[in-house]
Each structure stands twice: as structure tokens, then as C-alpha cells.
Amino acid sequence: MKRVALLGMPNTGKSTLFNRMTGGAARVGNWPGITVELLSGKILFGGDMVELIDLPGIYDIHGFSEDEQVVRHFLHGNVPDLALIVLNATQIERQLSLLLQLKQYNLNMVVLLNMADEAKKFGITIDTKKMSAALGIPIFLLSAKYGNGYQEALQAVTKALRYNTPGMAEELRSQLEQEVHIESEMARVLQHAVQVPARLPDNLTTQLDHLMLHPWLGLPIFFGIMYLLFQGIFFFGQPLQIGVGDLFNWLREVAFAPLVASLPALLQGLLLDGIYNGVATVAAFAPIIVLFFLFMAIVEDTGYLSRAAFLMDALMARLGLDGRSFVMLLMGFGCNVPALMGTRVMRSRPLRLLSMLVIPFSLCSARLQVFVFIAAALFAPRAAALVVFSLYLFSFAAAILTALIFKRHFPNSEPFVLELPPYRFPTLRQMVLRGWHEVYHFIHRASKFIIIGVVFVWLLTHLPTSAVPAGPDTWAGHIGAWLKPLFEPIGITAELTIALIFGFVAKEIVIGSLAVIYGLSGQALSGALALQLDWVQAYSFMLFTLIYTPCLSTIATLRSESKNNGFMLLSLGWSLALAWVVSFVFYQGARALGY
Amino acid sequence: MQTIISSEILTSLVPGESAIIVAIQTDDALRQRLLALGFRVGKRVELIRKASFSGPLQVRIGTTDILLRRNEAAKIAVEKS
């Protein structure tokens, strides 16, 4: 099968183009260096199947970052039959250097000048015919976002694929270092084919940045946006969640209960109170997950994350981190795993390790489910929103404290230099693709972790059969009793202890396992929790859930990214200790104050 | 009589001011990265804004906006025209 590699600088819309070509749901984000793994897809070109590989965005083929090395190694080991070079037409004057560097590799190339729509708005005109003649490479203008020019480009790719790969010379590296030659060639081509106005017109980005990056208003606006985002999730998500929960209860009564009525009581219990209740409780979170990722996608794809890096860098520098660490921390609000992988853009290992140590404290969407459920059960609607917001503040505080304590063990002097992309409005297509992608992942995880999880919880809480379900004589009861000296001082009951043990595997299971332990789901479970716990206990439980290890996938990622068992154990041990101490101080403090 | 050329550093510009880059005095790795982002001797650079609390600078070279810390910006010598 022929191989086509997508190459270009970060933020050129490579991923958008990749998505359009493959019709798949690769992640699209307006943030330099988001493509951290090699995505590939199979597509049909002129009757032949071709494998398309999306390489990480790079600034410089001679560069030192991990991504730049990945691209070089890939090109060495897998010479593509065709390299599709994607350049940002609005930044053609500096992106041309990468094209000229690549040209010297003697690769079979087609050049796509993306974001033609934005270039037009800036008044930049590019004569692709003249440029093509000057370089001896086919060059096309297109807009991957809106699809203009896409068909012509596809035809050129099909045509270019018919030629044989010329092969790659061995001594290219030394040949490529002739920066002088590249610079003079750049000047020659730019002079003849490109016209850029002396000063860019005052566009929407400039006006928006005037407000969003204002010296005094910038930070309050940032926190305001974050607060509104999560209020919105709560406001729109909760009615939907209750609706889905009611639907599952109704289905249970009219369809599933009669269906399994003839089975033995134990099996009936496992199916209905175990699997069905557990899965139904978790499935009710799908609307909140969709909303969360829809809102995050808007923030990410508009380019606001880079602005957040600008606003927060001063604080992050004092913590031994930088603006990029902060952006990864925010990405961790979605899921910690891609955020940990995103730290690959940092070259300094100490900086990367310190960032990886703080990211697991980001309140991810799986933990959000637990908090939304418990806050709604124990607090009035208005207070519940504040409770969840306060947990976000604790999440930041835990990250800041960790960075302050560990920064002298991970000293770094990595320069912070970052490109600031213009604001872009994500298309509906991108948002829907992203939302669908995340829900698919959520359901995928649900089918794997949650069903196994809830079956285990049901067995632990119902065996031996002689014991009262979820009582002190069950296996779960024994585990709870054994761990009691550890969890009683922080107000966490035996039932909640079992849920925490399962939450170690994945936070998605926590509410599902509570549903199994209590044999109730949805509103009935909320009611049971409200009867058994007071708000101090519930808050202490939420604090512990927030701070202790996010999930097994995060631990596995910490290990694979750091390639160091000691570092993984440090992260694990530190988060468990911090969780216990914070919960202890909160619980005992609140009790001492008479609550 | 010869005119005395006053060389300054990028951090000394005020927002809205622009200048020509006269020297980039950094180690090789950062130099390569700055070159890739469009910093070159003889290029015009405009300071757009400075973040509060001694945060990073936002500068514009051609059509590209770049964020960089004051530490790094202090290693770039410029000349006001």
C-alpha cells in the first residue's frame, strides 16, 4: 500500500485536513503541538488504497524537540511515496523555510497552502503558478475548514502518486544545514510571488485580544469564562441527566424486570441490581460528558487556550512551570491521559516531570460525574453548583501546592516561546465530530471497565449468600472493617470505602458501585446517601476522591511517559498521602467547629 | 559626524512600538527555535503587549504573533528606527 505523509508546522490545520480526508474523528485543537501520536487512516485515491499518516507539527526539520525527532525518524524509516506539505497561507513568509528544507530531501511532494480564506481576509495574495514554477513543486490554495480547493488538491495528489519514489540520499543531513542557501532562496521566491501589506489591518483578533488579554481585566475574564462554562454544564446537563435516569428506571420496570423474572433470585439480583442499576446510573452521565467536551472544544478550538497560557505564565513561572503546563492542566479537566501525553512538547525533562506530577490533580470529567451526583444529593441546587466550583479551586490548590513543594527537585531553565494563533470559530462539523468522539470513548470505557467493576462490587457486597446484602458480614463489609482505622478519622463510611477502592480503577465506576452497594439507582440512591451522610462527610469524601490517584490509565500513562517506575510511585504515594491529609484536616476541622 | 546607534533590548520597547532586530544572543537550541518562528537579524518586530506581574511579552513579526518570556526577550537586541 502506498504511503502519504502529512507534514507541516503546528497550527496549519493539518489535523482538520486529515479529518476531512479520512472522514474520521481525529482530535482537532487550535494549540501548537497537539498531535502527539501518529494518527493514520486508509483512503481511496484514484482507485488505489493509500495510507495517510498525520505527522506531528514541526517548526524546523533540524530542530531538537521530541516532535521534530519523531518526524525525522519517521521519514528515515518509512520513506513516504508522497509528502503532503501543509502550510498556513497567512504565514507563508516564514513557513516557506520548512518547505525549502524538506525540498532538499528529494521527496515526492505536493504543497497545500491552507487557510486560504483567512489569507484573503488579510489581503495576502499568492500566485501559486509563479510560486510553483519557482520551486518546481505542485502548489494549491485550499481551505481545509470549508473545503474550498479540496477537489483540485485531491486530483493533484492522485497524479503525483503515480510517480515512483525517488528515494532518499544518505548525506542529506549535512546538505540541509545550508541555512544561507535557504534564506536567499526564500527571499527570491517571496519577492516574486507574495505580497503582504506592510501593516496588518486591525482585525477581530486584535480587538478581542485587547479585551481578553487586558492587563487588569484579562485574569478576571478568564476565571469568569471558566465559571460560566461549568455553570452551563450543570444548568443544561442536570435536567437531561435526570431525564435519562428516569427513562432507564421506566425501561427496567416495563421490560427488564419481567424478562428476568423466571431466573433464580441470586442471578436476578446480579442482573438487575448489579449490572442494570450500575450501567444505568453511569449512562445517565452521557449528556454531561457531551456538554463538557462540547464546551471544552469551543474553548480549545477558538485559540483561547494559548491566551490562558499568556495570562497565567507569570504565576506558573514562580511555581517552576510555564504557560504550557497550565494549558495541559486545563486539558486535564477533560481527561488526564491526553494532558500527560501533551507534555511531550516540553524539551526539558525536569519541567516535563514536574508538569506530569501536577496534572493528575486536574478535576477530570470522570471525577466531575461523582461530584455532580453527590453534590446534587446532599446540597440545594444553588449550593451544589458552588460546591462543585469549590472543588475546582481545591484542584488548582493541590496542583499549586505540589509544584511549590517539588519545584526545587525538578529545576529547569526551559525558554518559554510560543506562537499565538488568531481566534477561530470552530465549525459545527468540528464540534459534532469532537463531541461524538468523546462520547464514543466514554461508552467504550463504560462497556469495558464499568460492567466488570459493578459485577465485582455486586459479588463483594452479596457474598456469602448467608449475609445481609451490603451488611457487615459480606466480603465488602470485611474489607471496610479492615480499612476502618484509616478511613474513620476522615469521615468516610465502609460503603464509601468500597466505592473508593473501585474508583482506583476508574472514577466512572464510583457512582455505579454505590448504586450496587445500596441496591438503588438514580433519585433513590441520592435519597439514601442524603439520609446516611451529612454534608461534612460527603465533602470529605469528595476531597479524597478529587486528590487520590485519578485512575489506572493515568498511572499507566505516567509510567509509559516518564519511563521511570520511581516517578510513577512518587506520584501515586504523594497523591494518596495528600488526599488523606487534606480530608483529615477538613473533616476534623469542620467537626471541631461544631458542624 | 557619525550618528551614534543606540541599541536596546526587546523588553525596553513599550506596547505599540516597533524596532529592527540587530542581534540574537542566545544558546543554539533557542536560537534555532527563534529562527523558525521568524526572528532574524534585520527583521522588524512590534511589541503588542506585556502581561501583568512581569509575565511574558506578545510580539508580532510579519503576520505571526509570538509569546515569549522577558528572560528570553532580554537576549534580543533591537534598534528603534
Side-chain angles (χ1 to χ4, degrees), chain A residues 4 36 41 51 90 142 163 177 190 195 226 275 292 300 319-321 360 370 431 576:
Chain A
V4 175
V36 284
E51 186 172 30
T90 64
L142 92 163
Y163 297 101
E177 281 163 5
L190 286 171
Q195 281 159 12
M226 286 295 139
I275 297 176
F292 181 86
E300 203 181 322
L319 301 176
L321 296 164
V370 181
M431 292 197 299
L576 278 170

Side-chain angles (χ1 to χ4, degrees), chain A residues 90 94 215 313 347 418 420, chain B residues 33 52 63-65 67 69:
Chain A
T90 64
R94 81 174 168 81
D313 186 65
R347 292 173 214 191
L418 200 69
L420 193 67
Chain B
R33 187 159 167 75
S52 25
T63 51
T64 308
D65 280 20
L67 307 179
R69 274 190 187 159

Side-chain angles (χ1 to χ4, degrees), chain A residues 398-594:
Chain A
I400 289 172
L401 181 72
T402 302
L404 280 178
I405 290 175
F406 288 95
K407 76 169 177 181
R408 57 200 174 86
H409 301 288
F410 297 96
N412 77 86
S413 56
E414 166 126 342
F416 174 66
V417 180
L418 200 69
E419 191 189 326
L420 193 67
Y423 288 104
R424 302 192 175 109
F425 199 77
T427 58
L428 196 65
R429 184 188 145 83
Q430 280 172 338
M431 292 197 299
V432 170
L433 266 180
R434 178 73 180 278
W436 158 245
H437 188 54
E438 300 299 348
V439 171
Y440 172 79
H441 269 272
F442 176 72
I443 292 170
H444 192 71
R445 279 171 70 94
S447 57
K448 212 165 61 184
F449 273 132
I450 296 167
I451 294 182
I452 299 170
V454 293
V455 168
F456 260 108
V457 179
W458 193 88
L459 292 175
L460 281 180
T461 49
H462 287 76
L463 292 176
T465 45
S466 55
V468 180
D473 296 326
T474 58
W475 293 346
H478 290 301
I479 297 173
W482 184 65
L483 287 171
K484 200 176 168 188
L486 204 56
F487 284 98
E488 200 170 38
I490 58 175
I492 292 176
T493 63
E495 289 89 346
L496 295 180
T497 305
I498 307 293
L500 281 180
I501 294 170
F502 283 93
F504 191 83
V505 178
K507 293 289 171 291
E508 285 91 340
I509 306 179
V510 171
I511 296 299
S513 64
L514 281 175
V516 174
I517 292 166
Y518 285 94
L520 298 165
S521 73
Q523 297 286 63
L525 176 59
S526 305
L529 285 175
L531 272 181
Q532 204 198 21
L533 304 173
D534 66 6
W535 75 268
V536 179
Q537 280 176 298
Y539 201 83
S540 174
F541 173 73
M542 289 194 281
L543 279 177
F544 196 90
T545 307
L546 169 68
I547 301 170
Y548 89 120
T549 316
C551 61
L552 268 185
S553 316
T554 301
I555 298 171
T557 310
L558 273 171
R559 148 112 195 82
S560 65
E561 292 296 313
S562 69
K563 297 179 181 67
N564 185 330
N565 284 326
F567 180 76
M568 177 194 76
L569 290 174
L570 169 72
S571 170
L572 193 59
W574 166 247
S575 62
L576 278 170
L578 185 66
W580 193 88
V581 170
V582 169
S583 295
F584 181 79
V585 170
F586 170 80
Y587 183 74
Q588 296 297 341
R591 288 287 187 246
L593 289 171

Side-chain angles (χ1 to χ4, degrees), chain A residues 183 338 352 479:
Chain A
E183 281 188 30
R352 212 185 144 195
I479 297 173

Side-chain angles (χ1 to χ4, degrees), chain A residues 59-60 64 90-91 93-94 183 200 209-210 213 215 310 313-314 318 321-322 347 415-420, chain B residues 29-30 32-34 36-37 40 46 49 51-53 55-58 62-69 72:
Chain A
Y59 287 106
D60 184 343
F64 299 104
T90 64
Q91 300 175 346
E93 11 149 44
R94 81 174 168 81
E183 281 188 30
L200 292 178
D209 273 346
H210 199 68
L213 300 181
F310 176 79
D313 186 65
R318 286 171 181 81
L321 296 164
D322 73 18
R347 292 173 214 191
F416 174 66
V417 180
L418 200 69
E419 191 189 326
L420 193 67
Chain B
L30 178 58
Q32 194 123 28
R33 187 159 167 75
L34 289 173
L37 282 163
R40 276 189 177 74
E46 184 187 350
R49 59 172 56 82
S52 25
F53 310 110
L57 310 182
Q58 180 188 350
T63 51
T64 308
D65 280 20
I66 296 139
L67 307 179
L68 77 169
R69 274 190 187 159
E72 274 79 59

